[in-house]
Structure formats: C-alpha cells, structure tokens
Amino acid sequence: MGGIPIRKKVKEKTVERSVQIEGFIRLYGRMSSEPVVEILQQDFDYSFLGAEMASSAITNFNTTSAKIRDVFPQAIFDDRLVAPFGSDIQSAVPQENVDANCRLIYWYYRAVNNLGLSVQP
C-alpha cells in the first residue's frame, strides 16, 4: 500500500502569566488612612543614595527602607505584607487586597495606640 503523506499544521494558543512582585513603602500620617507617601521599588529615583546606590533596584529599595527607619525611629513599621509569596501564581495578592490590607493595618495600629498599648509588629 502506498500513498501521499498528508501533514497537518496544529496551532496551539497558550496563555502565559507573568507575575512580578514589587516592593512598596507607604507612609501614613497619624490622622489619615490614606498614604502620605508611596514609594514603589521599580518607579523611584534612588540617586539621593549617592555612593550607596547599587545597580539593583531591590538593593536600593532596601537601603531606602533602612534610611527611612533610621530617620523615624518612633514610627511603626509592619512587614507582614512583604513576606515572600512562594512560587504559586495563585498566591499573588490583587492590588485591591493590598490596599485594603494596608488600611486595616493602619487602623489596627491607630486603635492600639489610642488604647495606650505597646505593640511590636
């Protein structure tokens, strides 16, 4: 038996998700649940670091965070939202949830401070 081979092209569409986790710093005043300052890791000018500026945005971001903590030693810093998410894409938190969680953390510390309690994050 013989014949002419027939080739069939198969096109497959794939959906590829890319998740980039970006660090952020939000500074709040004593009387507002809206951030006064927001620093995004990838969208910030680190030139003020001068000789301390590195070629890595994450290194510059961490240096900036440390400097802010040094300038405001009495401020409350809470790193719960920057814990590593792991490799599961589903664990990435949507922006709306980050905003809501930041406000909840702000209100928590405000309530605790109004009660005169001492809290460590």
Side-chain angles (χ1 to χ4, degrees), residues 3-96:
I4 301 174
I6 299 174
R7 297 180 189 211
K8 182 179 178 184
K9 275 189 174 179
V10 176
K11 290 185 180 180
E12 292 182 15
K13 288 186 179 182
T14 61
V15 176
E16 195 172 311
R17 291 185 186 193
S18 175
V19 175
Q20 181 178 359
I21 297 173
E22 179 177 22
F24 66 92
I25 298 171
R26 289 186 180 168
L27 304 176
Y28 294 85
R30 290 184 182 267
M31 303 308 283
S32 175
S33 65
E34 293 298 319
V36 177
V37 174
E38 181 176 64
I39 299 171
L40 302 175
Q41 176 185 331
Q42 301 294 333
D43 191 27
F44 189 72
D45 180 5
Y46 295 104
S47 61
F48 77 95
L49 293 174
E52 292 181 71
M53 193 164 90
S55 59
S56 164
I58 187 68
T59 302
N60 291 330
F61 182 77
N62 290 336
T63 303
T64 300
S65 177
K67 287 188 173 295
I68 290 171
R69 288 174 187 245
D70 289 344
V71 171
F72 299 104
Q74 298 299 316
I76 298 170
F77 294 90
D78 193 311
D79 293 335
R80 282 183 271 195
L81 294 178
V82 297
F85 288 111
S87 62
D88 183 13
I89 292 176
Q90 297 300 324
S91 66
V93 178
Q95 183 64 33
E96 312 83 65

